[in-house]
Amino acid sequence: MVKSLADDAESGYAPGKRSFAWLKLKRDYIDGLADSFDLVPVGAYAGTGKRSGGYGAFLLACRVAAPGAARYQPVCKVGTGFSDDDLATFSALFERGAAAAPRGDGGPPTWLDLPASLPPHYEPDCWLATPTPPAVWEVRAAALSLSPTFLAAAGLLPEEPAKGLALRFPRFVRARPDKAPGQATSGAELAEAFRAQPEFASLRAEG
């Protein structure tokens, strides 16, 4: 937290009140500390409020690390970083390409590795069930954390073999039309980025 040093009525803390007197500074707000990954959208969530009528968030996945494996593993749900134009473009693109399969209508894509069940808030309203992922997006995150839900990089971290990885505070940066899904970030690359974090060193020390 960053607090104003001004000694006045505005510098006091008031729960739920937004002001510039108290600011929460996240790691991904600091240039140079945020990681960037190329991920593929595999599911979509219906928008609410001003995002009604289209998609408001997406389930993103990394590529399975095995050479030649055309399979993908979810790693985060992202709903920030999109402009209204971005969401309108992506909603139209996926619908126009007949990429959206309603949940329960055929199930998830066969190329997607999922746990036995996803928590309700991660279950997408539709799967982007084309023969291959429909796009590649660049995403930044504050950190990578161990996840009991996602399978991304599962088995690549000896300290926690039963867990995968998830992106914390993910944010959409831009579409990557110059990249094919097979060039998306792999689970092995996520595991390497996780090991490079100071938190991983403390995890090993505790183990």
Side-chain angles (χ1 to χ4, degrees):
M1 296 293 293
V2 179
K3 178 186 179 299
S4 170
L5 295 178
D7 187 17
D8 55 34
E10 292 299 317
S11 64
Y13 178 73
K17 179 182 177 182
R18 292 181 177 273
S19 74
F20 289 102
W22 290 75
L23 297 175
K24 180 184 289 184
L25 190 65
K26 295 180 181 179
R27 268 178 46 175
D28 61 331
Y29 295 165
I30 307 173
D31 188 33
L33 287 181
D35 292 313
S36 175
F37 305 102
D38 293 319
L39 304 173
V40 297
V42 297
Y45 305 86
T48 59
K50 72 173 187 177
R51 294 184 175 184
S52 296
Y55 300 134
F58 298 87
L59 183 66
L60 303 187
C62 69
R63 179 172 52 86
V64 171
R71 301 192 63 78
Y72 300 82
Q73 299 168 322
V75 68
C76 70
K77 174 182 178 180
V78 63
T80 58
F82 299 102
S83 67
D84 292 342
D85 287 343
D86 288 333
L87 292 174
T89 297
F90 297 145
S91 295
L93 172 65
F94 296 143
E95 291 171 0
R96 186 168 59 247
R103 187 170 62 197
D105 183 12
T110 56
W111 39 260
L112 193 59
D113 289 342
L114 292 170
S117 64
L118 281 171
H121 63 286
Y122 280 125
E123 280 279 357
D125 292 303
C126 67
W127 298 103
L128 305 181
T130 54
T132 58
V136 178
W137 294 345
E138 182 180 355
V139 175
R140 298 183 75 182
L144 281 158
S145 61
L146 293 169
S147 171
T149 299
F150 294 133
L151 299 177
L156 299 179
L157 297 168
E159 294 81 358
E160 294 284 349
K163 294 184 179 180
L165 293 174
L167 270 64
R168 295 184 60 203
F169 308 115
R171 183 174 65 245
F172 171 82
V173 176
R174 59 173 174 150
R176 294 297 307 267
D178 57 313
K179 286 201 169 187
Q183 297 173 299
T185 299
S186 71
E189 291 170 319
L190 290 177
E192 182 178 353
F194 176 77
R195 291 190 187 97
Q197 298 178 135
E199 294 88 340
F200 182 73
S202 63
L203 175 66
R204 286 183 297 182
E206 292 172 4

